[in-house]
Amino acid sequence: MTVEPARPFDWDGPNGDRWVANQARLDRMLAPFGEALIAAAEPREGERALDVGCGAGASAFELADRVGHDGRVVGLDISKALLARAEVLARNRTPAVEFRLADAATAAFARDFDLVVSRFGVMFFDQPIAAFRNIRSAMKPGGRLAFVCWRGAAENDWTRLPMGAIRDIVPPPPPPGPDAPGPFAFGERRRVQGILDQAGFIDIDIRPFDHPIVFGVGETPDDAIDDAVDNAVSVGPLERALKGCDAATATRALAAVRAAYARKVAPEGVVIEGAAWIVTARS
Ligand SMILES: C[S@@+](CC[C@H](N)C(=O)[O-])C[C@H]1O[C@@H](n2cnc3c(N)ncnc32)[C@H](O)[C@@H]1O
């Protein structure tokens, strides 16, 4: 399997490395969305399940616990670094998960999965209809698909809040095209429905799932705010937005972001709103 190196989100490059460095924090933040996904997917004992864009494996491990020793779970991803982290986290875990380095859009599959899931791993395809057709080719007839993806940027505090805070300090990056791959590529319900329809899926159900995200944690509110700012810079939208800024501008921008997070402090840390779709369908 050849893995294409150059992608706008360079998952098999620096972006994947940043996700590895922040894996524990990201797993903590995304856990409620993963739980909602697994609840919608309804994995059963003995099933064969595929996790598309499995990253460091959190949802694949959850699936393995549910399908048990008589089942089989394959986690598929294009990032060598994230799969290496998944292998480390998988050590001594049973039931075992198989990890596979491959592009879900083009990988060859036997038609033998009962269930395909993805936690935020399906919004990065250049040609989503073709990619979902290929994913469907991995599924038994009548097999179940379940994934969680973000709704629009305007509904998601993890990008709306810091980008809003720096709006008058740093020129905003050009908005991505409506169909451009990226975290918000599936923000429009109608687009998701159309992609799955054209890829041949049936019984498509797309429902909103909102959940708070603990975006910064720490012993004191100040620590939690610092952690939230670090999060936004390490794996959030500020990583891109502040690229190329001079030091004085970056300092002003970060002060504004800090003030915005200070308004979101709760007993558990800096808590922001997350807005996703839970999508289910059958092949
Ligand atoms: C936002 S991360 C989510 C990772 C993981 N599912 C989680 O929830 O922590 C997106 C993941 O999708 C993977 N990915 C992106 N495009 C892919 C493709 N075409 N085939 C397989 N994996 C892909 C990335 O490498 C990355 O691990």
Side-chain angles (χ1 to χ4, degrees), residues 132-182:
F132 272 97
R133 267 194 203 124
N134 195 52
I135 289 171
R136 215 178 122 243
S137 78
M139 301 167 70
K140 291 178 183 170
R144 283 133 43 231
L145 171 73
F147 64 83
V148 59
C149 59
W150 297 115
R151 299 213 300 278
E155 293 180 83
N156 272 294
D157 268 354
W158 62 266
T159 192
R160 174 179 59 185
L161 202 123
M163 295 309 282
I166 65 168
R167 196 177 34 218
D168 297 330
I169 302 169
V170 178
D179 295 346

Side-chain angles (χ1 to χ4, degrees), residues 7 11-12 16 19 26-27 30 51-59 76-79 82 102-106 118-125 131 150:
R7 293 186 158 264
W11 284 108
D12 193 31
W19 268 63
L26 286 161
D27 277 342
L30 300 180
D51 184 355
V52 171
C54 64
S59 43
L76 183 135
D77 207 285
I78 51 170
S79 163
L82 276 161
D103 186 330
T106 53
S118 181
R119 188 179 85 168
F120 300 114
V122 290
M123 304 92 85
F124 303 95
F125 300 129
W150 297 115

